Amino acid sequence: MNNSRQRRNHSAWIGPVISLIGLVTYFAWAVRYPSLRDSAWLNLTLVVLGCAIAVRAVVKRSNWKSWIGALVSAGLAFLLFSYVFVYSSQIPSAENAPAVGMPAPPIDLPDHSGQMVSLGDYLGRRVVVVFYRGFW
């Protein structure tokens, strides 16, 4: 068998690719389904699998390529774990949000020029108010 063929360490790039797939598919696909979005079990499994493959590359052949692959996989896993378990827990709940068809609460907010605008100023007129549940 060819000696150069034996020295290839495909795990060094396969691990980070699997971790990247786990991270990207969470935001592109899994967020659409509450069971996958809230627990992220499928995507967390993918990034952990990618990390394991990258660590296998370091154990198999410790060189700079395998170490970079392991660090990239670990970084991607850190991003997904921190988003799912830290950042997502800081998003406020929607328990007190007004239901569809309910009167809007009194709102006083600055407009684009900094002037305060009150929803009560538009009483008797048609106004479209859009509520976004988000955290910026």
Side-chain angles (χ1 to χ4, degrees), residues 36-135:
L36 294 176
R37 177 192 62 224
D38 296 341
S39 65
W41 64 270
L42 181 62
N43 301 89
L44 294 172
T45 303
L46 279 174
V47 295
V48 168
L49 176 66
C51 286
I53 291 172
V55 167
R56 180 183 176 273
V58 171
V59 170
K60 184 177 176 183
R61 185 168 182 209
S62 182
N63 60 14
W64 67 271
K65 293 176 188 176
S66 59
W67 278 104
I68 294 236
L71 290 174
V72 167
S73 290
L76 293 170
F78 174 77
L79 288 174
L80 185 61
F81 273 83
S82 62
Y83 181 81
V84 170
F85 295 113
V86 177
Y87 183 70
S88 293
S89 67
Q90 297 173 359
I91 297 174
S93 69
E95 293 172 358
N96 299 328
V100 175
M102 297 298 295
I107 299 173
D108 295 315
L109 295 171
D111 65 4
H112 66 283
S113 62
Q115 299 294 323
M116 292 302 289
V117 177
S118 175
L119 189 58
D121 296 342
Y122 297 95
L123 196 59
R125 295 167 53 188
R126 293 181 184 213
V127 178
V128 176
V129 180
V130 180
F131 292 95
Y132 287 99
R133 180 179 179 259
F135 185 70

Side-chain angles (χ1 to χ4, degrees), residues 2-11 60-61:
N2 190 352
N3 195 19
S4 65
R5 190 105 165 113
Q6 288 179 330
R7 288 190 282 180
R8 292 189 182 164
N9 194 359
H10 296 294
S11 301
K60 184 177 176 183
R61 185 168 182 209

